[in-house]
Amino acid sequence: MQTPAIALTGIGLLALICQWAAWRLRLPAILPLLVAGILSGPVTGLLEPDHLLGDLLFPLVSLAVAVILFEGSLTLDFRDLRGHGRTVRRLVTWGALITGSVATVAAHVLLDLTWEMASVLGAVLVVTGPTVVLPLLQTLRARAHLTQILRWEGILIDPVGAIGAVLVFEFVVLGQGQGAFSHTLSMFARTAAIGFGLGMLGGYLWGLVLRHHWLPQRLHSFGTLMIVLTLFTLSNTLFHESGLLTVTVMGVWLANMRGVPTQHIIEFKETLSVLLISGLFILLAARLTAEQLALLSWPAWGFLAILLWGARPLAVWLCTLGSGLEWREKALLAWLSPRGIVAAAVASLFAIQFEEAGIPGANMLVPVVFLVIISTVVMQSLLSRPLARLLKVSEPEASGFLIIGANPVARTIALKLTEAGIAVRLADNNWDAVQEARMAGLPVYYGNPLSEHAAQHLELTGIGHLLPLSPYRELNNLAVLHFEHILGHGKVFLLAEEDIRNARRHREQALEHLPVLFDGEATYARLSQLIEQGGELRSARMTDNFGLKDYCAIHDQRLLPMFSVSANGRVRVANTRTPLAPKPGDTLISLIHADSPEFA
């Protein structure tokens, strides 16, 4: 007999397997989670969420969706919206409106939904989201400006679309059974007043708490979570279903309030989001019934076709007028619009509420949204890269470097690579080091490069290699494991460590297959010492009569070869597996010791 403990443990293990599969296959995690939920629910009948959780199901889903919407809105910095071009601004405003309008009409005509239910479906399907867009962009390698447009559209449309969907939902719910449009409008005004008023007030007051450190930093994340849940519940108590709007507005307010430290909160919500999202989507997909899946006949597929090949191309075409983009670039933008986590979570919550209210068409909402999510993620994951190549909008193989650390060693190497025309980006959570790098004109990401925030905001366009140059062994090794999956084998390297035997024990099997940088003995301490003693990075052009051996000889071997750059910009990194063998015409970059005979 299946007990609740066994069922909940099974959901956790299944979620872990799905997250691992998504990582290995380079797919958005939502896809295996939804598939696992459908297999364990309507297909096999092993999981019955309504029977398992009973009356707790709706409150748990509501609270989880509230946290997800708050998390998304916490990333909406209005400075980002202003700073990423007219095309992005149009796509997240007019483009969202066009997509929602076309989807509404298509849902009414093809799916025979009422205008109210069709408008909710259209508003929900506006949202794409970074959790599905960014994994595709990592493998797509489109032109840099196209990647930037898609990346920032995915990040910004998440909270913008969520606010729109919640507002449409509130209007539709309040209009059920009221009879008079004026009465519905006044009720909607009350919802908006409470949602915006309580959200802004709560955001401002909690922002003061965080800004002035009236709460110890170790409680910032936990305190924020509890305040979000408290305001959500209070708002719903004051006026039915206003809570989602409240927490969304609160997140936007905190994101744009000056002097509020949100970095630790964002890092905390990453772990919480994995837990909530993984369990939530398995449960929601398992609630689907065979009858609901049977509703996905040709009208549902016709709706999907209009959404993908009608609404999106129309929105892109109108929003890119006067942008200077080629038709090939517009075609790629029109193709890429996978739906993600916010769409699935919000649609499921709305459907539960509509079903309880007995509103016609509620049973269509979730299966249609899940059909769109699964279809767009699968098709666009498989076909986007071939399409980019066919349209000739792919970038050549990336040769730039992501450098872990912004310390003096990292800055010295980054400046020399930049001088050679190689793209670099440094990542560090040391504010002083980041400021030094910025003053030197180097592009820097401030924060943990392994975090979910980095997955959304760490720009990897043009980056093809990883150099772990942090003084912290654990960070270097974790970064190598993390980015090998993204950049590929042969593109990441280990940094030598002081105690070889101890290093081998800590590296274990996961890192044994990776080469060690430079000569295999260049630890961070050694590199730092050489540079502090006056060592310099210098470039030398190799010719038919002057090769690497000749260059080493004139320096009496008092140098450390690091990189070679070919005439066409291809970079090779010296390592213990493949030592440098620069050809005539290549440029050799080496660290010259201060006591080299030819140093002067």
Side-chain angles (χ1 to χ4, degrees):
M1 180 178 179
Q2 188 183 74
T3 65
I6 293 175
L8 292 175
T9 302
I11 292 172
L13 288 174
L14 187 58
L16 177 61
I17 294 171
C18 291
Q19 290 284 354
W20 174 82
W23 173 74
R24 292 295 300 174
L25 299 175
R26 299 190 183 186
L27 289 174
I30 190 174
L31 182 59
L33 289 170
L34 293 181
V35 172
I38 292 173
L39 291 176
S40 59
V43 175
T44 63
L46 295 175
L47 180 60
E48 298 180 9
D50 293 88
H51 176 71
L52 175 65
L53 297 174
D55 294 337
L56 288 176
L57 178 63
F58 176 71
L60 287 176
V61 172
S62 298
L63 293 175
V65 173
V67 173
I68 291 172
L69 289 182
F70 173 76
E71 163 200 329
S73 61
L74 195 60
T75 64
L76 181 54
D77 191 328
F78 291 133
R79 290 171 297 181
D80 293 334
L81 189 61
R82 293 194 301 267
H84 285 87
R86 181 175 60 178
T87 298
V88 174
R89 293 197 299 271
R90 287 179 174 180
L91 285 171
V92 299
T93 51
W94 292 108
L97 183 61
I98 294 167
T99 301
S101 300
V102 174
T104 298
V105 174
H108 177 70
V109 174
L110 291 177
L111 303 179
D112 199 27
L113 296 178
T114 63
W115 281 112
E116 293 81 4
M117 187 61 67
S119 64
V120 171
L121 180 60
V124 166
L125 290 176
V126 160
V127 181
T128 55
T131 56
V132 285
V133 172
L134 297 183
L136 296 182
L137 294 180
Q138 288 175 353
T139 59
L140 182 60
R141 290 191 175 178
R143 292 175 182 172
H145 60 283
L146 294 180
T147 299
Q148 285 281 43
I149 291 173
L150 289 166
R151 177 171 171 265
W152 280 102
E153 181 198 7
I155 292 172
L156 296 174
I157 197 66
D158 208 3
V160 171
I163 293 172
V166 170
L167 288 174
V168 172
F169 167 75
E170 301 290 357
F171 192 82
V172 170
V173 168
L174 294 172
Q176 297 300 316
Q178 300 297 337
F181 179 79
S182 59
H183 180 68
T184 300
L185 195 60
S186 66
M187 298 286 281
F188 176 75
R190 284 186 59 189
T191 301
I194 291 176
F196 279 98
L198 194 57
M200 289 188 291
L201 179 63
Y204 173 72
L205 294 178
W206 188 245
L208 290 179
V209 172
L210 298 178
R211 179 196 290 171
H212 295 290
H213 296 279
W214 293 336
L215 194 70
Q217 184 171 311
R218 63 186 178 87
L219 294 179
H220 281 193
S221 300
F222 174 68
T224 300
L225 174 63
M226 296 315 302
I227 293 298
V228 168
L229 297 182
T230 300
L231 287 178
F232 174 75
T233 304
L234 175 61
S235 184
N236 279 343
T237 302
L238 292 175
F239 198 82
H240 188 57
E241 303 307 340
S242 61
L244 293 179
L245 182 58
T246 297
V247 298
T248 305
V249 171
M250 178 185 174
V252 174
W253 186 278
L254 285 174
N256 292 275
M257 186 173 176
R258 290 185 178 180
V260 177
T262 58
Q263 184 66 32
H264 295 291
I265 300 172
I266 292 173
E267 291 177 357
F268 170 74
K269 63 87 180 168
E270 294 167 5
T271 302
L272 183 64
S273 296
V274 171
L275 176 63
L276 287 177
I277 291 168
S278 300
L280 181 65
F281 289 118
I282 290 177
L283 287 171
L284 295 178
R287 288 191 75 247
L288 287 169
T289 64
E291 291 76 16
Q292 286 178 311
L293 294 177
L295 295 173
L296 298 177
S297 55
W298 72 264
W301 291 98
F303 172 79
L304 174 66
I306 290 177
L307 188 67
L308 294 183
W309 301 314
R312 177 65 176 180
L314 177 63
V316 168
W317 177 67
L318 292 175
C319 292
T320 55
L321 289 175
S323 65
L325 294 175
E326 303 173 0
W327 71 267
R328 294 182 179 86
E329 296 172 330
K330 293 181 181 181
L332 185 66
L333 293 179
W335 167 250
L336 267 170
S337 59
R339 269 53 177 190
I341 284 168
V342 172
V346 171
S348 299
L349 178 60
F350 290 176
I352 293 173
Q353 295 176 329
F354 286 145
E355 288 169 2
E356 291 183 347
I359 299 175
N363 61 333
M364 285 290 293
L365 193 59
V366 172
V368 171
V369 169
F370 281 14
L371 171 66
V372 173
I373 291 172
I374 294 175
S375 299
T376 54
V377 171
V378 170
M379 287 192 299
Q380 295 175 16
S381 295
L382 294 176
L383 300 179
S384 292
R385 193 164 187 178
L387 179 63
R389 290 173 178 170
L390 180 65
L391 293 172
K392 298 180 180 180
V393 294
S394 296
E395 288 280 9
E397 184 179 358
S399 59
F401 287 83
L402 172 63
I403 301 177
I404 304 300
N407 49 71
V409 173
R411 296 198 300 269
T412 300
I413 293 176
L415 286 169
K416 196 61 182 180
L417 288 171
T418 302
E419 182 183 305
I422 307 301
V424 298
R425 185 166 296 274
L426 288 70
D428 204 318
N429 57 8
N430 184 311
W431 178 249
D432 292 333
V434 166
Q435 287 294 85
E436 291 284 345
R438 285 176 176 165
M439 291 175 64
L442 294 168
V444 189
Y445 169 78
Y446 173 57
N448 181 359
L450 310 181
S451 66
E452 186 68 23
H453 183 269
Q456 296 184 18
H457 295 84
L458 176 55
E459 178 57 58
L460 295 179
T461 302
I463 300 299
H465 304 86
L466 175 79
L467 293 180
L469 298 178
S470 164
Y472 305 107
R473 183 192 66 221
E474 292 82 2
L475 176 59
N476 286 335
N477 291 345
L478 287 173
V480 166
L481 290 173
H482 178 77
F483 286 100
E484 184 189 20
H485 176 69
I486 297 172
L487 302 176
H489 180 66
K491 302 295 184 179
V492 299
F493 308 90
L494 295 172
L495 183 65
E497 298 171 12
E498 295 292 342
D499 187 339
I500 301 299
R501 289 177 298 177
N502 186 54
R504 288 175 179 172
R505 184 173 70 252
H506 282 283
R507 283 177 186 162
E508 299 178 347
Q509 296 181 356
L511 298 170
E512 284 297 323
H513 66 289
L514 295 171
V516 181
L517 276 172
F518 311 135
D519 62 358
E521 298 179 1
T523 64
Y524 175 82
R526 181 186 173 213
L527 292 172
S528 179
Q529 182 182 34
L530 289 173
I531 292 173
E532 286 179 0
Q533 291 176 347
E536 292 183 2
L537 265 73
R538 291 188 178 182
S539 301
R541 186 89 166 190
M542 300 293 102
T543 66
D544 292 323
N545 300 320
F546 185 77
L548 177 59
K549 290 183 179 180
D550 303 306
Y551 191 56
C552 292
I554 67 171
H555 288 285
D556 193 24
Q557 308 300 322
R558 306 296 292 167
L559 81 168
L560 177 66
M562 290 182 161
F563 312 95
S564 67
V565 184
S566 66
N568 60 5
R570 186 176 182 181
V571 184
R572 296 187 182 277
V573 183
N575 62 83
T576 53
R577 298 281 176 83
T578 53
L580 286 184
K583 300 176 181 178
D586 291 354
T587 298
L588 178 69
I589 299 177
S590 305
L591 175 58
I592 310 298
H593 297 197
D595 56 354
S596 167
E598 296 295 326
F599 186 82

